[in-house]
Amino acid sequence: MRQDARTFVAVEGDDVVGVVVGTFVDYGREPYGMVEELVVAPEWRGVGTGGALLGECREWLAAAGTEVVFVSAVDEEAAEFYVRAGFNRCVGPWLWAGSGAGRE
């Protein structure tokens, strides 16, 4: 069994403007990743901060060996953000994507 977590932070000057926490999980079969938290300061939304953080997290998860990344969206606005980033809807609030989906 192997688990790891990493936090990615966006800063502007001395201010933290966004953060994402990713978790890698491998129980010996089909390792996967999870986006645990993605939070961006309201004034930094819509300018690419969240997408950049999510991209860094997904790159790390792909390098760790994941093929699938899961995320739970708290509302429809968040779900649409993840869909635009290449995630797919599944049952309930969960969405999933291949570890490299949505990257340019």
Side-chain angles (χ1 to χ4, degrees), residues 28-45:
R29 185 175 177 192
E30 300 180 23
Y32 63 91
M34 303 223 9
V35 175
E36 303 289 347
E37 299 289 335
L38 174 58
V39 180
V40 175
E43 62 273 18
W44 285 91
R45 294 179 188 161

Side-chain angles (χ1 to χ4, degrees), residues 39-61:
V39 180
V40 175
E43 62 273 18
W44 285 91
R45 294 179 188 161
V47 297
T49 305
L53 286 167
L54 183 61
E56 286 186 53
C57 182
R58 289 175 72 187
E59 286 179 19
W60 170 71
L61 289 168

Side-chain angles (χ1 to χ4, degrees), residues 81-100:
F81 167 80
Y82 290 113
V83 167
R84 287 191 306 273
F87 283 75
N88 302 285
R89 294 179 184 271
C90 20
V91 177
W94 289 97
L95 296 91
W96 69 275
S99 60

Side-chain angles (χ1 to χ4, degrees), residues 65-81:
T66 63
E67 291 187 24
V68 176
V69 178
F70 293 97
V71 65
S72 177
V74 296
D75 58 28
E76 189 56 30
E77 182 180 1
E80 286 301 319
F81 167 80

